[in-house]
Amino acid sequence: MRVLLVVDSFDREFLAMRLTAAELEKLGVETRLCGRPILGMCYNRFRPDVVVLPKTHKIVGLDEIHRSVVVVLAQAESFV
């Protein structure tokens, strides 16, 4: 399984996403981190099965992404 973890606010979310990625990798899940502004490019290159987003508004291309993969909303406040 491949999971793309999207970071919107570097200062607030990066550490929690790194910890999440480390735990998923222990379970054999292939993970990648990317910033919200480059989500489309990262999605096309990595072709994940799951995309974890900190928010759903202002996400360019989300309508196309959600047709192909599971989209999980984990709001930024959850990461801290």
Side-chain angles (χ1 to χ4, degrees):
M1 178 186 296
R2 295 172 159 221
V3 177
L4 183 62
L5 302 165
V6 182
V7 176
D8 184 43
S9 172
F10 183 84
D11 293 334
R12 183 173 56 195
E13 300 163 11
F14 183 73
L15 175 60
M17 282 295 211
R18 287 295 309 144
L19 294 172
T20 301
E23 290 301 315
L24 288 171
E25 288 169 358
K26 286 180 188 177
L27 298 172
V29 176
E30 189 176 351
T31 63
R32 294 287 188 277
L33 291 175
C34 84
R36 183 184 51 82
I38 59 168
L39 171 59
M41 181 180 67
C42 292
Y43 172 80
N44 288 329
R45 283 190 167 174
F46 185 54
R47 289 295 181 191
D49 302 303
V50 178
V51 175
V52 179
L53 297 169
K55 63 181 180 181
T56 56
H57 66 286
K58 298 182 182 176
I59 304 288
V60 177
L62 184 58
D63 54 337
E64 295 294 325
I65 291 171
H66 89 277
R67 293 181 191 152
S68 304
V69 301
V70 174
V71 175
V72 176
L73 175 64
Q75 293 183 322
E77 294 77 20
S78 301
F79 293 126
V80 294

